[in-house]
Every structure is written in structure tokens, then in C-alpha cells.
Amino acid sequence: MKAGVVHAKNDIRYEEIEKPQPKKGQVLIKVKYTGICGSDVPRVNGDACHFFPNVLGHEFSGTIEEVGEGVTTLKKGDRVAGVPLVPCMECEDCQKGNYSLCKHYSFIGSREFGSFAEYVTVPEKNAVKFEDEVSFEQGAFFEPATVALHGLNRVDYHAGECVAILGGGTIGLFTAQWAKIFGSKESCIDISPERLELAKNLGADAGVNTLDEDFMNQAMALTDGKGFGYIYETAGVTTTMKYAFELAANKAGVCFIGTPTRELNFSVKEWENINRKEFTLTGSWMSYSAPFPGKEWILTAHYFKTGQLKFEDSLIFKKIPLSRIDEAFEMYKTPGTVKGKILIDSEA
């Protein structure tokens, strides 16, 4: 089969490798689309790849091509989204259903070959079926949508509170939608007018641009000056992490979903917001719950089918054939070039 193989930093090649065969308890998926995740970029353009040669790709959709011995819940032709985490199922965290915290996990598309290929094998539970009403493009967005939902539930979330989403990227836009689905008034805060407009198209009640000189007053006015009951930081940026502390209401729930990429320092005054407001601060990692892979994946399939979890083509920046995967990663070398998700088409 053909695959995009990483051989070294800045060296990803479209070449032929051996087609995998499903072992006992596994399925073979014929890949349709794979989204390039932000974590894939440093694995190709930087030094974050675990080993060479490697096949990345973990946000994917496709159809079941073949099932291995013992597989009972899937059959050839089923439309599926890939679940990348492969927990050990034996450690204390796994036994408690905290699969995201497993210390002995494998991961499809980083620690083992992934979906930047024509075919990929995964354990039976790592393929989530979706209905014909859900497109393969949407199937490739299951993973970021589940990350957003997992983050939403990392605080003691209740409907009716004002919710602030800091960051209008893919995760932020889905977090805003989940908050809307579960009954809250939510606002998206970002620096890009295009992303704020997209957020409104997807149902956000308000959008605030941090480039506006009085954006903080604009944001607080949406809550009558009380602050937001829930805040989700999805960009992993120092500035927005600090905004979260300022925008939080008394007794708020604050969750950092975004992954920081540089050192973060708070002044005493900034940090004191935790004491004075008594808000709860937590983090979120991946997207899993018991029974594996969890309600995050089941609800994503359901709400994509009903249309309540909205999807627009504008979420996709470009579709690029697998044969030109190197061109896709070149785009990330120029900041600001990629505005949205790049989907790699394994069938093009």
C-alpha cells in the first residue's frame, strides 16, 4: 500500500510499504480522510517523532475492509471513525476508567503506524461506527470533537451559566458547540475575525476579538460584569491562559484544554484571582471515559447524525491527496498560512 512515511526531520515521503493484516481482535480500515493535528506538525517539521520510519495520522475515517478473528461488533463496509488511544487496560488508572491517564498506552499514529496511509489496523474497540447521515469528512473530526467534550466535562458543568471559549480553532469551535447543545449561552474569544464569524455560524451567541482595545470590557459586559461561570482555554497560549483568570466569575470552573508550548509565568496579582474568586482550575487530556472509548465518542456520533453538532466545509482549510502529503506539512512552516484543518485524502 501507499503511505506518507516520516524518515527524519523535514523528511516525509509518499512511498510503498507493506499492507497490514488484522490480527485477532483487530480490524483493517480502508482510510478515507485523516486530519493533520497540531501534534503531527512537530513530529514532521521538528524533533518530536518517536521513531523512524514512522507513519503518523490519528484523526481519521474510513470503512472496514477486513475483520480479524473474534471480532463481533464490526463487519466489512461499516463506516467508522478511528480511536487512536490504545490503553493497557491493566494499570490502576485504566481499572478506574481513566484511560487518558494510562502510563503504559500505545497510540495509533505516533507510537504505532497510523492513518497517513491507504490502510490501518486498529483494535475492534478503536473503530466507532457512524451512520450514513454522517460524512467521512465529519468522521475525520470525531477525535477533536471528543477532545472538546471531554474538556467540557472536566469541570462540574451545569447548563445555564455563561461560558467563555478562549481560542477559535477546531477544538474551541467544538467546545462552544457542546456548551450550546447542553444548554448554555456561550461566547467565543479569538484574534481572528474569520474564526469568530465561523463560531457564530456554528451557533455561538457572541464573539469578541482580543485585538479590540476594550475587548475585556466587551466580554465582561456579556455577563453583566459578573464574569463567566465556565471558561475553556483551547489555544494553549500564555495570553489567553491569563485572560481566563480575569474573565472567571466567583466560584467559576476553568479548564485548560489547550497544550502550552512555552514557559508560563503569572504575576502575584494575576494568580491571586484563584484565591479571591475561589474558582476551580483543572486541565484536560485526550477524550476517553468508561466503557472505552467512552460517552465522548458515542455522543459525537449521535449529535453529528442529528445535526445538532454542526459541521461546515469552512472548518476544512484544504483537502490534499496522500501523494502530496509533503506539501501539506510545508504549509505549516509559514505562520498564518493554515487556517483550519487540512484533510489528507488517502483515496485521491
Side-chain angles (χ1 to χ4, degrees):
M1 69 172 182
K2 295 293 187 180
V5 183
V6 184
H7 286 272
K9 179 180 178 180
N10 294 317
D11 184 5
I12 184 168
R13 309 174 198 170
Y14 177 68
E15 59 189 24
E16 192 164 321
I17 64 172
E18 185 177 354
K19 179 181 174 182
Q21 298 298 317
K23 299 175 183 176
K24 183 178 180 179
Q26 291 186 330
V27 296
L28 177 69
I29 297 173
K30 189 176 191 300
V31 180
K32 177 52 182 171
Y33 290 116
T34 303
I36 294 181
C37 175
S39 65
D40 292 320
V41 178
R43 292 183 179 128
V44 176
N45 297 343
D47 299 309
C49 200
H50 288 292
F51 58 87
F52 302 111
N54 201 353
V55 177
L56 305 177
H58 63 269
E59 301 178 1
F60 62 97
S61 65
T63 55
I64 300 296
E65 181 76 7
E66 188 179 342
V67 300
E69 180 187 347
V71 172
T72 60
T73 63
L74 297 166
K75 64 182 186 304
K76 181 178 174 64
D78 282 344
R79 299 155 61 89
V80 294
V83 177
L85 180 71
V86 185
C88 75
M89 295 296 184
E90 296 178 356
C91 69
E92 183 177 353
D93 287 310
C94 283
Q95 290 297 307
K96 292 178 179 178
N98 297 323
Y99 307 110
S100 297
L101 307 182
C102 176
K103 299 297 189 298
H104 312 290
Y105 69 93
S106 185
F107 200 86
I108 297 159
S110 67
R111 297 171 185 263
E112 59 186 86
F113 278 14
S115 59
F116 288 148
E118 292 180 308
Y119 297 91
V120 63
T121 53
V122 304
E124 180 179 7
K125 290 185 177 180
N126 288 68
V128 172
K129 284 195 290 188
F130 57 82
E131 303 295 332
D132 292 345
E133 293 90 341
V134 179
S135 69
F136 285 110
E137 288 87 348
Q138 287 172 293
F141 278 80
F142 267 49
E143 203 270 346
T146 61
V147 168
L149 180 54
H150 186 78
L152 189 84
N153 290 321
R154 281 292 299 122
V155 297
D156 187 20
Y157 180 84
H158 299 287
E161 292 277 0
C162 289
V163 178
I165 313 297
L166 298 171
T170 302
I171 301 295
L173 293 172
F174 279 119
T175 306
Q177 286 204 66
W178 285 120
K180 185 83 169 182
I181 286 171
F182 295 127
S184 289
K185 178 181 179 182
E186 31 69 45
S187 305
C188 186
I189 299 173
D190 197 82
I191 62 172
S192 167
E194 293 82 9
R195 302 305 284 182
L196 291 172
E197 187 62 31
L198 177 55
K200 289 182 181 179
N201 290 344
L202 293 171
D205 294 291
V208 180
N209 194 319
T210 55
L211 294 180
D212 293 346
E213 188 173 336
D214 66 337
F215 89 89
M216 187 62 69
N217 290 331
Q218 292 180 40
M220 292 297 286
L222 297 171
T223 69
D224 295 325
K226 297 176 183 178
F228 292 85
Y230 299 107
I231 299 180
Y232 299 95
E233 199 287 331
T234 68
V237 175
T238 299
T239 304
T240 48
M241 287 178 165
K242 292 187 175 187
Y243 288 159
F245 283 34
E246 192 169 350
L247 291 166
N250 293 340
K251 301 290 185 177
V254 179
C255 181
F256 285 177
I257 303 175
T259 303
T261 57
R262 58 186 63 187
E263 293 297 319
L264 178 61
N265 295 299
F266 287 87
S267 68
V268 171
K269 182 179 179 181
E270 290 168 337
W271 192 259
E272 197 179 41
N273 279 300
I274 294 181
N275 303 95
R276 290 185 176 274
K277 297 181 180 181
E278 294 189 348
F279 66 72
T280 299
L281 173 65
T282 189
S284 182
W285 189 243
M286 294 196 279
S287 59
Y288 304 94
S289 58
F292 185 83
K295 61 182 178 295
E296 295 90 341
W297 295 82
I298 302 305
L299 291 176
T300 294
H302 171 75
Y303 283 109
F304 264 145
K305 178 184 176 181
T306 64
Q308 290 166 276
L309 191 61
K310 301 180 189 301
F311 186 85
E312 283 198 5
D313 287 341
S314 48
L315 284 166
I316 302 169
F317 175 62
K318 284 184 183 296
K319 294 180 183 177
I320 295 179
L322 179 61
S323 59
R324 293 166 46 204
I325 192 170
D326 58 329
E327 298 175 24
F329 282 95
E330 279 295 318
M331 294 180 187
Y332 287 96
K333 294 181 180 179
T334 304
T337 298
V338 179
K339 299 178 180 179
K341 183 69 69 177
I342 292 179
L343 291 185
I344 300 301
D345 188 343
S346 291
E347 296 182 351

